[in-house]
Amino acid sequence: MKKMYKELFLFKWALLLLILTVIGSVAANLALPMYLSEVINTAIPAGDKVRIVSIGGTMLLFVLLGVLCSVGTGFFASLASVGFGRNVRSRIFRKVQYYSQTEFDGFSTSSLITRTNNDVVQVQTFMNMLLKVCLMAPIMCIGGVVLALAKSVTMSMILIVSLPVMIAFVLIIARLASPLSRKMQEKLDEINLVTREKLTGIRVARAFGTEQFEEERFRRVNDEFMVNTVRMNSVMGIMIPGLSLILYATMVALIAFGGYQIINVHTAIPIGDIIAVIQYVMQIMMSVMMLSMIFVMYPRAAVSAGRINEVLDTVPVVADCDGAVTETGIKGYVSFRDVTFTFPNAEAPALEHISFDSSPGEVTAVIGSTGSGKSTLVNLIPRFYDVQEGEILVDGVNVKEMSLETLRGKIGLVPQKAFLFRGTIAENVGYGQEEPNQANVEHAVMTAQSYDFVTAKEGGFDAPISQGGANVSGGQRQRLAIARAIARKPEIYIFDDSFSALDYKTDAALRKALLSEAKEATVILVAQRVSTIKNADRILVLEDGRCVGQGRHEELMKSCEVYREIVYSQLTQEEAEKDEV
Ligand SMILES: Nc1ncnc2c1ncn2[C@@H]1O[C@H](COP(=O)(O)OP(=O)(O)OP(=O)(O)O)[C@@H](O)[C@H]1O
């Protein structure tokens, strides 16, 4: 929580003005009972109308001051707390941007969303309450005690009993609420996880008719959240009536004691003072009640703050080293030197002892059965993960020693699952460029064999793309993702099974156009189809994370059993021996 307070103190001006308004509001509230007792004790018994009006007028001014200051307190507390929320959200967003895949795998995406939204709102709401109460309540308590004592020491003694009872009650409630608070955030995480999965996989759920199963899954987490929230609310439900009971019991005791004084004691306290003491005691106890809200809100906010800090304190395992290289003399060279890689928490390596070199103008293809490590191999080049053994060099520099911006600036990646952002086609193709150039975007779209379908769409290049690219076909999405990589004019192209949704004709036309487009770049191509990779300068054949063959098609046909099996499972002998497919 300490770090969160630091973040709040960035709003110095709002906090300073808040302090002034709090002081004004407390002063006004403490002054009123003084004037009230004066009017009851002296002005009314003397029938002094002028004095009654003048004291009444002064009281009215204090009421106005109190109201104005309370409005100011609310405004400045809100300014600081909402600003705090905005800053923390931005910090989380910025931090998560630099997370490597390992951190994403560690936190779930839904948990990151809950932390960015719900957890920040929890802390923000707590801060708002804290700002309004933490300064006001102690001043009110101290001022109230002093003024009550000044009016009547004997009556004020009632506080010695009621205050500790109230404080003990609040502490017990806070203790009960604390574990429930943590659980509530966890349950909310689960609700987000199920909702997110359900919404992204809605087509699959429909196709498999699993709506009921999904509903049951959602109902379970939703019910758990409800049960936990009911428990939490029950605990909180005890608090207000409990505190009110203590408050009213104190008031009854005060009235009884004051009445006894007037009836039985020779030196009775004036009625005005009794009323003033009752008001001060009420103000003191109300302040403690408000402070108790802080105690109750604190555990949940502390849990949320902890969850936020976990995100902010996580150091990405993939980050720039000191003196990271930002310039390289040569361009477009990729080398794997005896690379072995194991996923965090995995038992066996996903890749073992992989070595190859790829130079500008060359196409390196990677083929193998599913799960053989093809995607893992290409994901290591932009450092989505760091290798444990061996090294990967780009332009002769170990990727761990190159700045991530430089490294990733060299790469045009088309991921296995083509993803499009919400926006227009032109915005998607020009994504990541400071000033996308229309001619460049059009050229990239043409190379990616997308020109016809883009221009046929209403709005053409300005046609909207909906969330995740849901309003274009799988093949169109792949081609736009390819166009996005081409528009970047990278030194290294990485296509991770990016042609799988294309028909054979488009696949062949696209590869041909790419060859002339990327003739000075290195192309690394993962594919399942032999026809896509047959003419590559180098083919790596992967099996269970190991490279079981490396060479051109003709060489591998002679030397690699696994490759031959893949080829004959897709092509006839005649097709396999042809130069072009
Ligand atoms: N994030 C991950 N954590 C742990 N293991 C993983 C992770 N991603 C992949 N793997 C495992 O690593 C191995 C290689 O996976 P990879 O995705 O590279 O295979 P692939 O050859 O690209 O498969 P496909 O052709 O089906 O896409 C598989 O056994 C897979 O289960």
Side-chain angles (χ1 to χ4, degrees):
M1 205 69 177
K2 245 191 221 162
K3 284 186 192 155
M4 297 288 119
Y5 297 135
K6 267 190 198 161
E7 200 71 39
L8 189 67
F9 285 122
L10 293 178
F11 296 87
K12 286 193 188 70
W13 279 109
L15 295 182
L16 197 70
L17 292 168
L18 176 100
I19 292 171
L20 292 179
T21 55
V22 165
I23 292 173
S25 144
V26 173
N29 280 312
L30 289 176
L32 285 172
M34 297 276 277
Y35 286 104
L36 188 67
S37 87
E38 198 182 331
V39 102
I40 294 171
N41 288 347
T42 57
I44 294 175
D48 186 345
K49 285 184 195 150
V50 178
R51 200 159 156 66
I52 292 172
V53 171
S54 113
I55 295 177
T58 315
M59 285 176 76
L60 203 62
L61 283 179
F62 272 111
V63 169
L64 273 177
L65 175 73
V67 168
L68 275 179
C69 286
S70 291
V71 171
T73 304
F75 176 74
F76 293 119
S78 160
L79 197 70
S81 58
V82 175
F84 155 88
R86 181 204 56 192
N87 286 3
V88 174
R89 259 191 301 276
S90 300
R91 280 189 59 200
I92 297 177
F93 191 80
R94 217 173 304 134
K95 183 80 187 194
V96 170
Q97 294 242 74
Y98 293 100
Y99 269 9
S100 73
Q101 211 47 48
T102 308
E103 286 82 44
F104 277 111
D105 294 345
F107 292 100
S108 68
T109 312
S110 54
S111 176
L112 284 173
I113 295 172
T114 318
R115 288 167 203 243
T116 314
N117 296 330
N118 188 277
D119 283 310
V120 173
V121 169
Q122 288 299 334
V123 183
Q124 178 184 307
T125 313
F126 172 74
M127 291 299 185
N128 188 284
M129 188 72 182
L130 185 78
L131 288 176
K132 282 198 252 180
V133 171
C134 81
L135 190 63
M136 185 274 288
I139 304 180
M140 189 73 108
C141 281
I142 295 168
V145 168
V146 171
L147 293 172
L149 283 172
K151 289 285 174 199
S152 166
V153 176
T154 38
M155 276 188 78
S156 306
M157 286 304 130
I158 285 181
L159 280 173
I160 294 179
V161 180
S162 52
L163 267 187
V165 172
M166 202 173 211
I167 291 167
F169 180 71
V170 168
L171 289 178
I172 291 169
I173 295 282
R175 206 185 160 87
L176 288 175
S178 177
L180 293 171
S181 296
R182 171 172 280 277
K183 228 173 173 182
M184 250 168 109
Q185 290 311 99
E186 284 166 5
K187 294 290 162 204
L188 206 64
D189 255 9
E190 281 175 34
I191 288 190
N192 277 348
L193 182 82
V194 175
T195 313
R196 192 173 173 278
E197 234 176 48
K198 163 77 191 153
L199 293 179
T200 38
I202 192 131
R203 290 189 203 188
V204 182
R206 277 187 193 147
F208 281 76
T210 54
E211 284 95 342
Q212 240 176 347
F213 168 76
E214 290 294 340
E215 229 174 276
E216 177 57 27
R217 198 152 76 109
F218 185 76
R219 192 192 57 73
R220 209 174 47 240
V221 286
N222 203 17
D223 283 357
E224 282 171 7
F225 180 70
M226 189 198 77
V227 169
N228 199 74
T229 311
V230 168
R231 276 191 200 141
M232 177 82 178
N233 290 349
S234 311
V235 172
M236 298 298 289
I238 303 169
M239 197 181 86
I240 300 293
L243 287 175
S244 301
L245 183 73
I246 300 170
L247 191 77
Y248 286 113
T250 310
M251 202 197 280
V252 169
L254 278 169
I255 293 169
F257 188 63
Y260 174 81
Q261 292 266 320
I262 291 170
I263 298 163
N264 297 324
V265 180
H266 185 58
T267 51
I269 310 166
I271 293 184
D273 286 8
I274 291 177
I275 293 173
V277 172
I278 291 175
Q279 285 205 342
Y280 283 132
V281 170
M282 289 301 114
Q283 280 175 352
I284 293 165
M285 295 192 78
M286 287 301 277
S287 307
V288 175
M289 257 174 94
M290 288 212 270
L291 266 181
S292 70
M293 288 305 291
I294 297 278
F295 274 98
V296 173
M297 284 171 82
Y298 178 80
R300 193 163 177 197
V303 168
S304 289
R307 286 159 53 90
I308 294 169
N309 284 333
E310 270 171 21
V311 178
L312 294 177
D313 293 344
T314 298
V315 181
V317 289
V318 174
D320 281 353
C321 63
D322 289 338
V325 175
T326 53
E327 286 284 335
T328 56
I330 49 174
K331 284 181 174 179
Y333 290 84
V334 176
S335 301
F336 273 54
R337 300 252 189 277
D338 200 21
V339 167
T340 294
F341 171 74
T342 310
F343 280 104
N345 306 322
E347 281 170 15
L351 287 175
E352 281 181 273
H353 306 292
I354 306 290
S355 295
F356 72 92
D357 292 296
S358 190
S359 309
E362 285 183 351
V363 175
T364 298
V366 187
I367 197 165
S369 54
T370 71
S372 56
K374 304 181 295 294
S375 297
T376 307
L377 186 146
V378 291
N379 283 338
L380 293 177
I381 304 171
R383 268 189 91 191
F384 291 157
Y385 295 97
D386 268 343
V387 302
Q388 288 93 8
E389 284 173 45
E391 54 180 9
I392 298 169
L393 309 178
V394 165
D395 297 340
V397 178
N398 188 327
V399 288
K400 290 181 183 172
E401 284 155 21
M402 193 182 285
S403 100
L404 284 170
E405 195 185 342
T406 308
L407 172 67
R408 291 175 185 170
K410 289 172 179 288
I411 297 170
L413 169 77
V414 185
Q416 189 171 33
K417 203 170 154 205
F419 183 84
L420 298 179
F421 293 92
R422 210 151 44 89
T424 65
I425 289 181
E427 281 165 0
N428 266 285
V429 176
Y431 183 76
Q433 295 173 32
E434 272 172 28
E435 282 176 31
N437 165 319
Q438 181 64 19
N440 182 30
V441 166
E442 280 185 26
H443 173 72
V445 165
M446 239 178 255
T447 312
Q449 311 299 302
S450 312
Y451 195 78
D452 288 348
F453 92 79
V454 169
T455 47
K457 270 192 168 288
E458 199 180 329
F461 282 86
D462 293 325
I465 295 288
S466 57
Q467 193 189 355
N471 62 339
V472 287
S473 75
Q476 289 170 342
R477 201 159 45 239
Q478 272 196 340
R479 278 181 278 165
L480 288 179
I482 292 170
R484 179 168 60 201
I486 295 171
R488 204 172 154 86
K489 297 188 186 304
E491 295 166 24
I492 302 159
Y493 283 90
I494 298 176
F495 298 104
D496 186 358
D497 208 3
S498 315
F499 304 89
S500 57
L502 309 183
D503 57 75
Y504 280 86
K505 196 171 144 228
T506 314
D507 178 356
L510 205 155
R511 274 183 291 120
K512 198 168 161 208
L514 257 179
L515 273 186
S516 72
E517 180 67 30
K519 56 181 177 292
E520 285 169 16
T522 291
V523 177
I524 298 180
L525 179 69
V526 170
Q528 303 274 8
R529 273 190 212 153
V530 174
S531 58
T532 310
I533 55 126
K534 201 177 155 221
N535 295 306
D537 300 290
R538 178 179 309 96
I539 300 168
L540 304 179
V541 186
L542 295 190
E543 193 179 49
D544 294 334
R546 289 177 169 272
C547 184
V548 292
Q550 187 173 154
R552 294 187 69 93
H553 170 76
E554 304 74 31
E555 294 159 15
L556 289 170
M557 284 302 284
K558 288 182 199 136
S559 61
C560 181
E561 178 64 30
V562 176
Y563 185 70
R564 261 199 311 272
E565 275 174 20
I566 297 171
V567 172
Y568 287 134
S569 68
Q570 297 179 25
L571 309 176
T572 61
Q573 188 156 4
E574 199 184 334
E575 281 171 331
E577 283 161 10
K578 259 201 231 164
D579 275 353
E580 279 295 337
V581 179

